[in-house]
Amino acid sequence: MEFFCYHRDRPGSLTLRQELLEQHLSYMDRYAAEMIARGPTMLDGIPTGSVHVLVLPDPAAARAFAFDEPGYQAGAYRDVLLRRWRNTLGRTMWDFPGGRTGGNRYLVLGLGAGEPVDLAVPADREQLIAYGPLLADDGEQWLGTAALVRAADAAAARGVLSVERYADVEVHNWQFGGRQPRH
């Protein structure tokens, strides 16, 4: 099962996050083979959160992954968004044709309201790093869409979703994270 996990930083937790960086990376190294995408969200060069998209056996394993993370245990995060997810691109971020660097990258979260939308991969898939629906634990009920995208700016990134069909759409600066995978 694929899961989307977004730990949002607690205000004022930058020093704590920096102190825990090696513990965080070591913890994530244990999941290297399961990772689809990972990396921090940023604001003016300062981390604001941590995104991990990965394959785990079940929702209980996903909750353990999210809540056993060293930064979460130490109180660095304000909250955690944890949802089932479907990898509609069928690849990892390391397979993204645009590579690890170059251009602006964003996390786009569309929080659902009503009927499912944006289930099909957008036409400009070459700019998509990861894309898929956010789902309830049952893997069926649609709750929104999460995308990692390379775009000219935040407005262009937001345009990957049918914005008017969501209760809310968030756009965050994002960058590739972690160490190189050992695939």
Side-chain angles (χ1 to χ4, degrees):
M1 295 179 188
E2 297 158 330
F3 291 89
F4 175 89
C5 181
Y6 181 32
H7 291 92
R8 297 174 195 257
D9 285 13
R10 181 176 46 81
S13 67
L14 178 60
T15 300
L16 179 58
R17 277 203 53 177
Q18 290 170 333
E19 291 169 0
L20 295 169
L21 180 59
E22 184 53 41
Q23 289 178 48
H24 168 79
L25 291 172
S26 293
Y27 181 79
M28 293 305 159
D29 287 347
R30 294 173 25 199
Y31 295 93
E34 291 84 7
M35 286 288 171
I36 295 168
R38 64 187 285 191
T41 54
M42 310 290 282
L43 180 61
D44 299 326
I46 307 235
T48 59
S50 191
V51 173
H52 296 91
V53 183
L54 69 168
V55 177
L56 293 167
D58 54 47
R63 284 189 284 282
F65 166 83
F67 299 118
D68 289 346
E69 192 277 335
Y72 181 84
Q73 289 292 308
Y77 302 119
R78 177 186 75 191
D79 58 60
V80 179
L81 173 63
L82 179 63
R83 296 285 181 244
R84 290 275 305 271
W85 188 75
R86 189 171 303 122
N87 185 357
T88 58
L89 295 176
R91 66 179 186 219
T92 72
M93 73 180 201
W94 296 279
D95 301 320
F96 172 60
R100 289 181 62 91
T101 60
N104 302 316
R105 283 111 192 287
Y106 300 92
L107 163 64
V108 183
L109 286 175
L111 305 175
E115 293 299 313
V117 64
D118 294 327
L119 296 176
V121 176
D124 192 9
R125 76 181 277 134
E126 290 305 310
Q127 298 305 312
L128 297 173
I129 300 162
Y131 185 89
L134 297 169
L135 305 165
D137 280 354
D138 65 8
E140 298 299 323
Q141 182 183 354
W142 178 84
L143 301 174
T145 306
L148 297 171
V149 60
R150 180 174 61 185
D153 54 33
R158 180 181 296 271
V160 75
L161 299 183
S162 305
V163 175
E164 67 283 352
R165 302 277 309 274
Y166 291 88
D168 189 26
V169 174
E170 301 176 11
V171 178
H172 305 271
N173 291 314
W174 175 83
Q175 63 186 35
F176 274 55
R179 305 185 231 257
Q180 280 296 114
R182 291 174 271 175
H183 293 124

